[in-house]
Amino acid sequence: MATPLKKSACVPTPPLDETPDLRPIEGPEADEELAALAKAVGHPARVQILRLLVRRESCICGDIVDELPLAQSTVSQHLKVLKEAGLIRGEIDGPRVCYCIEPRTLRRLKALIGSL
Amino acid sequence: MATPLKKSACVPTPPLDETPDLRPIEGPEADEELAALAKAVGHPARVQILRLLVRRESCICGDIVDELPLAQSTVSQHLKVLKEAGLIRGEIDGPRVCYCIEPRTLRRLKALIGSL
DNA sequence: GACTGCCATCGTAAGACCACGATTCATGGC
DNA sequence: GCCATGAATCGTGGTCTTACGATGGCAGTC
């Protein structure tokens, strides 16, 4: 069940990309959703991580640790928060893990913010 | 120095509205700013408050307390968070206080989110 | 002046967040 | 099999939220 890919680019960005979101842009559930996403973005380190991942459209891994002035465990926690919010995705690439933006969720966040 | 307005609509929305933002959309300061704004939005009650204030383009006051299932003091705290983030403004209108959206900051938030 | 209503603030208790070092787990190379 | 490496998780403090009731201040009203 191994990925037959070279370890160079580690899965740039997943298949689905343009399917529209069917969920409502407002209402109680949308409020909860927006709050959860905003909370995940509500820390400078996580904003930096998101920026890093957006900039390099392909994904990186523990280079994030080198870019941030934080301990490895702390960065890992921030990554977990972002992953649980659905804003990023982590894929195992051999010994390391590569993270990339989940464009669908990011678009969702923009739509929700835009509805304000 | 009293406002010569009837107490019906309590200052719809302030003068300046269309002046463009000169601050950069990314960089360390922008990251901090986005994180602070997102953190302020990162609670369902505050999202609801923002929605309320956007919906009624004029501002309301303690009606917010009636709309939310929270104690008056809790709502007041949430209002304080939003005010300190610069997302809303509170003006004294006789015995009550009227809150309204600060459109400039809201636009700033949208721009920052949009830069992701 | 006394009273009422509206709102902010204080004080407090429970829980969440943030950061770190230490540990554990998985993978690939030897 | 054994070791190195990259990453997640654990455990621990310190700080920040969140919620509430209680208290305090201020603008109008009587």
Side-chain angles (χ1 to χ4, degrees):
Chain A
M1 58 183 76
T3 52
L5 286 170
K6 296 167 192 153
K7 70 170 77 172
S8 56
C10 66
V11 191
T13 301
L16 356 131
D17 209 15
E18 282 304 328
T19 50
D21 228 309
L22 297 175
R23 287 174 296 176
I25 214 74
E26 52 186 307
E29 287 180 28
D31 288 357
E32 291 272 353
E33 199 188 350
L34 173 51
L37 289 174
K39 191 174 187 176
V41 180
H43 192 286
R46 294 197 284 268
V47 172
Q48 275 188 269
I49 292 173
L50 288 176
R51 281 253 158 83
L52 268 173
L53 294 180
V54 169
R55 188 163 300 140
R56 331 196 177 180
E57 71 176 35
S58 155
C59 47
I60 55 178
C61 45
D63 300 339
I64 302 174
V65 176
D66 299 331
E67 295 273 3
L68 302 189
L70 295 171
Q72 177 263 325
S73 56
T74 305
V75 173
S76 193
Q77 262 187 192
H78 285 303
L79 289 169
K80 188 180 182 184
V81 171
L82 289 171
K83 188 159 49 177
E84 283 177 351
L87 282 164
I88 68 176
R89 175 189 318 190
E91 306 219 15
I92 297 176
D93 169 52
R96 36 201 131 234
V97 176
C98 284
Y99 286 96
C100 53
I101 286 284
E102 190 83 70
R104 192 175 176 74
T105 309
L106 190 56
R107 253 181 295 136
R108 178 75 178 151
L109 171 59
K110 291 180 185 179
L112 286 168
I113 287 284
S115 75
L116 290 181
Chain B
M1 59 179 72
T3 52
L5 286 171
K6 297 167 192 151
K7 70 172 73 170
S8 57
C10 68
V11 190
T13 300
L16 357 129
D17 208 16
E18 282 303 329
T19 51
D21 228 311
L22 297 174
R23 288 174 296 176
I25 215 73
E26 52 186 307
E29 288 179 29
D31 288 357
E32 291 272 355
E33 199 187 350
L34 172 52
L37 289 175
K39 191 173 188 178
V41 180
H43 191 286
R46 293 197 285 268
V47 172
Q48 276 188 268
I49 292 173
L50 288 176
R51 281 254 157 84
L52 269 174
L53 294 180
V54 168
R55 189 162 302 140
R56 333 196 176 180
E57 69 177 35
S58 156
C59 46
I60 55 178
C61 44
D63 301 337
I64 302 173
V65 175
D66 299 331
E67 296 272 4
L68 302 188
L70 295 171
Q72 177 264 326
S73 57
T74 306
V75 173
S76 191
Q77 263 186 191
H78 284 304
L79 288 169
K80 187 179 181 183
V81 171
L82 289 172
K83 189 158 51 176
E84 283 177 351
L87 282 164
I88 66 175
R89 173 189 320 190
E91 306 220 15
I92 298 175
D93 170 51
R96 38 200 128 235
V97 176
C98 284
Y99 286 97
C100 55
I101 287 284
E102 190 84 71
R104 193 175 176 75
T105 309
L106 190 56
R107 254 181 295 137
R108 178 74 177 153
L109 171 59
K110 291 180 184 179
L112 287 167
I113 288 283
S115 75
L116 289 180

